[in-house]
Amino acid sequence: MPDPVPLATGRALFFYTPHQDDESLWAGQILAHHALVGREVHIVLGSDGSTSTIRHALNGIESNGWWGGSHYPQREGIPAPLDYTAFAEARDRELLQAAVQLGVPQDRVHLRVGQRSSTITVADAERLILQHEALHPGAGHYTTHWTDPDPTHSALGTALRNLKLAGQVTDARWVVRRSQIGTVAGAVQYDAGTYAATARQMAKAACRCYGAWHPPESYAIGRHSVPADLDWAESGAANVIVKNP
């Protein structure tokens, strides 16, 4: 069967994902749709995701509700203790696999190894966005909403809002997490039109990459962390987007 994703010839679009999974949870159908119409879609990682408490679960220190109990690293082939670096690298691998399902090749996933940290400030997020705008003038810039309760999510959203209001970027959009749907002003369901069914399937496949369990390569970190949100995203529920700051 031919791949429905064409070669990218259209204007660049950058999605600034706070952590490795947010692109699939809140923007999977959006990114898939843009890839399907030929946009040059990029995913830029805002933080390394290393401080998730799932690292403690994999190291056998805490139990995990989705797993249904505790991990036993030696028996399960987990090279414990997984340090922050190894854990972040495992999360990166999940993101890279998910991105491919969204029509984003791995060379357009910007992991920012050596530059990133466990969080990001508004000022650093502004600089990051402007770097990509300088390389691709007029590009689309999408990220999470500025009122998102997670500080890394809100820092990226606030930075993009500041730049849009200042006229330093022309095309800006914000996606809304499931728990905020119905409370964020100006939020609407994203409509992929005739591409909707294919975009939903691609987004579903991306979510499944966060459930792969094959130590020491993959640890289903996304599934351990946000199983209900992944269920929601896999269900085909529409992404929700804000078009104006």
Side-chain angles (χ1 to χ4, degrees):
M1 180 177 294
D3 192 333
V5 178
L7 292 175
T9 57
R11 184 166 55 93
L13 182 151
F14 292 88
F15 183 77
Y16 303 90
T17 188
H19 307 98
Q20 304 95 325
D21 63 13
D22 292 309
E23 79 299 324
S24 298
L25 290 171
W26 323 122
Q29 294 175 43
I30 297 170
L31 300 181
H33 178 215
H34 284 288
L36 286 166
V37 299
R39 292 283 295 274
E40 182 185 313
V41 180
H42 296 252
I43 296 173
V44 182
L45 185 57
S47 72
D48 63 15
S50 64
T51 58
S52 167
T53 58
I54 302 307
R55 188 176 71 89
H56 301 306
L58 294 173
N59 283 331
I61 298 171
E62 298 177 357
S63 63
N64 179 261
W66 173 74
W67 188 256
S70 298
H71 281 287
Y72 301 92
Q74 184 174 3
R75 169 157 59 86
E76 296 174 22
I78 303 170
L82 277 173
D83 62 18
Y84 289 107
T85 299
F87 181 75
E89 289 172 348
R91 297 199 71 180
D92 289 345
R93 292 192 290 273
E94 290 185 346
L95 169 57
L96 290 168
Q97 291 301 318
V100 170
Q101 298 303 324
L102 296 175
V104 183
Q106 294 188 357
D107 62 358
R108 283 197 245 126
V109 179
H110 309 277
L111 298 174
R112 302 178 56 243
V113 176
Q115 304 167 7
R116 66 195 189 182
S117 67
S118 60
T119 187
I120 192 168
T121 66
V122 172
D124 284 342
E126 288 178 357
R127 284 190 286 270
L128 178 63
I129 295 167
L130 287 175
Q131 287 172 8
H132 293 295
E133 173 65 19
L135 292 171
H136 298 268
H141 302 280
Y142 290 36
T143 191
T144 40
H145 198 262
W146 60 88
T147 65
D148 192 294
D150 183 282
T152 301
H153 292 223
S154 62
L156 285 162
T158 299
L160 183 56
R161 184 171 186 258
N162 291 346
L163 296 174
K164 174 63 174 176
L165 290 172
Q168 292 180 272
V169 299
T170 56
D171 182 2
R173 301 284 189 274
W174 297 265
V175 299
V176 178
R177 69 157 72 224
R178 176 173 67 109
S179 63
Q180 288 190 286
I181 294 174
T183 65
V184 172
V188 296
Q189 288 191 351
Y190 185 83
D191 182 7
T194 59
Y195 295 92
T198 305
R200 282 195 299 268
Q201 182 56 43
M202 290 168 65
K204 181 177 182 177
C207 288
R208 287 181 170 176
C209 294
Y210 287 102
W213 175 260
H214 189 247
E217 178 65 23
S218 55
Y219 305 107
I221 295 169
R223 268 287 160 194
H224 279 80
S225 178
V226 287
D229 287 334
L230 280 168
D231 285 343
W232 177 82
E234 281 193 39
S235 75
N239 293 152
V240 176
I241 195 163
V242 172
K243 299 179 180 180
N244 297 302

